[in-house]
Amino acid sequence: ELEGSCETKTQEWEERSKTRAEELVALADTIKILNDDDALDLFKQTLPGAASSSFMQVASGAVKMRVRALDVLSQARARAPRDQRASLDLLVLTLTGKKALNQGGFDKVIKMVDDMIAVLKKEQEDDDGKKEYCALQFDSSDDKKKALERTVEEHENAIATAKEAIATLTDEIAALEKGIKDLDKAVVEATEQRKAENVEYKELMASDAAAKDLLNFAKNRLNKFYNPKLFKAAPKRELTEGERIAVNMGGTPPPTDAPGGIAGTGISAFVQIAAHQQSQRDAPAPPPETWGAYAKKGQESTGVIAMVDLLIRDLEKEMTEAATEEKNAQASYERMTSESAEKRSADSKLLAEKGATKADTEADLQAHEEGKESAVKEHMATMKYIQSLHSECDWLVQYYDVRKEARAGEVDSLQKAKAVLSGADFSFLQQRAGGFLQRRSS
């Protein structure tokens, strides 16, 4: 409906402009007819010379000025953009009216021309300011966009670096935790092994000591028969205080308990083995019926005692080696546990440091992610603002020179029209027209 109404008004205005143009043509033709030589001769015969001459000259001058001014304005309207034709149309409409030829008629038109020139200059100033504003806003927005893009890129690089660092720290922390766990397990296993070795060592030393005592006992028994001087009698049992009192009072000493252990030696390390072997031993063969006189075999007894001594030395050597090995093993164990404790302490400290570093890196990652999100949002807002600037400024920037040139041409045309209209003088027309009317009435 609005488009139909506008189209109708446009057609009406074009029809009206066409009628005004035809009117101007008619006036121009009329002036041409009235200024013809034959017409002037006729007017000289029928009208007073001065009145007819002044009337025709003044009327012809005013109309010519209006025609020239309208021609200038029509040319300006043809060059002007569609949105700037309304003011020119109003000016043409005012100039083509009948009141334009009255006294002061051109003054109104000239004032309208001045107002239009001022408006055009103001519009040009607005366009200049708007163009400068658009240029500044485009520059600052583009700089801001590039800065935000760099910020986003920096955050992305920092995020990638932080994620890589977190992954590395996670692997290192897992390796440290596994190392500490394996170290604790190794220490427990080493402790259990050391305990088992110590028990085995103590059992070996106890067995070897018992065997040594047993061999010494056997050697002493051989010495009692073969070498009485080397025999060592068993120490007497020390009486208790009660027993000593009883003996001092004339009593008899208590009997000595029979020694237990292996073969009554008091050595009990091999009791079970010996008993087991004794149960498996066959009964002794019966003694021979007769035998000769018995004689001590010194050389054979010396060999037996030497063999016992050799066994004793072997046991002593084994015990010495076992003690050395035990000492070395214990020292190695203590050194291992000490080094393990130091390593565990160092690894635990490093684990805590890496855990703190990972926490800080995760905090930095979160900060960079939030910073990137904020920068992306600001970048989107900046791009939206730049888009709005394009919507606001692209048309002005694209047609700025055209509008400026058209506006300058319009101002120039208006100034020319004003110059044309400023040359009209109505005072002479009215004075001569008044005298002519007075003569006609007399």
Side-chain angles (χ1 to χ4, degrees):
E1 182 180 355
L2 179 60
E3 293 180 355
S5 177
C6 292
E7 185 177 355
T8 302
K9 294 296 183 181
T10 302
Q11 292 177 355
E12 292 178 354
W13 173 251
E14 291 178 353
E15 183 66 24
R16 187 170 184 178
S17 299
K18 181 179 179 181
T19 303
R20 291 295 185 184
E22 292 176 352
E23 181 181 1
L24 292 176
V25 172
L27 290 173
D29 291 342
T30 301
I31 293 172
K32 182 178 180 181
I33 293 171
L34 294 176
N35 284 333
D36 187 78
D37 293 339
D38 294 335
L40 292 176
D41 292 338
L42 178 60
F43 289 148
K44 289 179 182 179
Q45 295 176 3
T46 58
L47 295 174
S52 60
S53 176
S54 62
F55 172 76
M56 295 307 299
Q57 290 175 359
V58 174
S60 175
V63 173
K64 285 183 178 181
M65 290 179 184
R66 182 169 69 171
V67 171
R68 288 176 59 192
L70 287 172
D71 182 60
V72 172
L73 294 176
S74 297
Q75 294 177 6
R77 181 183 181 279
R79 292 192 301 268
R82 181 177 295 273
D83 59 342
Q84 296 182 4
R85 292 179 181 177
S87 57
L88 291 174
D89 291 339
L90 179 61
L91 189 59
V92 170
L93 180 63
T94 303
L95 189 58
T96 55
K98 295 181 179 180
K99 294 183 179 180
L101 295 176
N102 297 335
Q103 184 177 7
F106 285 170
D107 293 341
K108 180 179 180 181
V109 176
I110 291 172
K111 184 177 183 305
M112 292 176 64
V113 170
D114 290 336
D115 293 341
M116 288 183 62
I117 291 174
V119 171
L120 290 172
K121 289 182 177 180
K122 180 65 170 57
E123 289 177 353
Q124 185 59 44
E125 291 176 358
D126 292 342
D127 281 0
D128 293 340
K130 188 62 175 292
K131 183 183 179 183
E132 182 179 0
Y133 163 80
C134 289
L136 291 174
Q137 290 301 311
F138 274 125
D139 289 342
S140 61
S141 299
D142 188 63
D143 292 341
K144 184 177 181 180
K145 182 192 74 171
K146 292 179 180 178
L148 288 171
E149 289 174 350
R150 288 193 298 270
T151 300
V152 171
E153 184 178 2
E154 291 173 356
H155 282 304
E156 289 177 346
N157 293 335
I159 288 171
T161 302
K163 287 183 177 180
E164 183 178 358
I166 289 172
T168 302
L169 288 169
T170 301
D171 293 340
E172 292 176 351
I173 289 172
L176 285 172
E177 290 176 345
K178 184 177 183 300
I180 292 174
K181 184 177 179 181
D182 293 343
L183 182 63
D184 291 342
K185 182 179 179 182
V187 170
V188 171
E189 292 176 352
T191 301
E192 292 176 354
Q193 181 180 354
R194 180 84 279 276
K195 288 180 179 179
E197 291 175 350
N198 183 257
V199 170
E200 184 179 355
Y201 163 75
K202 289 180 179 179
E203 290 178 353
L204 176 64
M205 294 298 287
S207 299
D208 286 356
K212 181 181 176 182
D213 291 342
L214 184 60
L215 289 172
N216 284 323
F217 186 89
K219 178 183 175 182
N220 189 51
R221 181 67 185 84
L222 289 174
N223 285 329
K224 182 179 180 180
F225 179 77
Y226 292 108
N227 299 304
K229 293 181 179 181
L230 298 178
F231 174 73
K232 296 179 180 179
K236 294 181 179 181
R237 185 175 70 85
E238 185 177 356
L239 299 177
T240 64
E241 184 177 359
E243 292 173 344
R244 285 197 302 271
I245 294 173
V247 171
N248 292 332
M249 292 179 65
T252 58
T256 302
D257 295 333
I262 300 172
T265 61
I267 301 170
S268 59
F270 294 98
V271 172
Q272 294 179 354
I273 297 175
H276 177 71
Q277 291 177 351
Q278 185 69 29
S279 65
Q280 299 296 329
R281 189 178 304 164
D282 295 335
E289 294 180 359
T290 59
W291 54 81
Y294 179 79
K296 294 182 180 180
K297 298 178 180 179
Q299 185 177 358
E300 292 180 0
S301 65
T302 303
V304 173
I305 293 173
M307 185 180 295
V308 173
D309 288 337
L310 179 61
L311 292 174
I312 291 173
R313 285 195 298 271
D314 289 341
L315 288 173
E316 290 176 347
K317 180 180 178 182
E318 184 179 19
M319 293 175 68
T320 301
E321 291 176 353
T324 303
E325 291 176 358
E326 172 67 13
K327 181 179 179 181
N328 293 335
Q330 182 65 24
S332 298
Y333 170 75
E334 292 176 355
R335 182 171 58 254
M336 186 273 293
T337 54
S338 176
E339 292 175 353
S340 298
E342 292 178 358
K343 179 174 175 55
R344 193 183 195 287
S345 177
D347 289 348
S348 298
K349 182 179 180 181
L350 184 60
L351 180 63
E353 292 176 354
K354 288 187 179 296
T357 303
K358 181 181 178 183
D360 293 339
T361 306
E362 289 174 343
D364 292 339
L365 174 61
Q366 183 177 0
H368 284 300
E369 287 177 343
E370 292 175 355
K372 177 188 174 182
E373 183 180 0
S374 177
V376 168
K377 289 182 179 179
E378 191 173 357
H379 182 267
M380 292 176 63
T382 303
M383 294 300 295
K384 187 175 181 180
Y385 177 68
I386 291 175
Q387 185 178 1
S388 67
L389 280 178
H390 281 293
S391 301
E392 182 181 0
C393 300
D394 282 356
W395 186 88
L396 173 65
V397 174
Q398 181 179 358
Y399 295 103
Y400 173 80
D401 294 334
V402 176
R403 286 167 57 86
K404 183 177 181 180
E405 183 179 356
R407 195 175 284 120
E410 187 175 353
V411 170
D412 182 66
S413 298
L414 289 172
Q415 289 176 344
K416 289 180 180 179
K418 177 183 176 182
V420 171
L421 295 175
S422 297
D425 187 358
F426 289 89
S427 59
F428 177 73
L429 172 61
Q430 291 190 355
Q431 291 176 1
R432 304 304 294 178
F436 170 72
L437 293 174
Q438 288 178 1
R439 292 190 189 93
R440 293 289 293 176
S441 61
S442 61

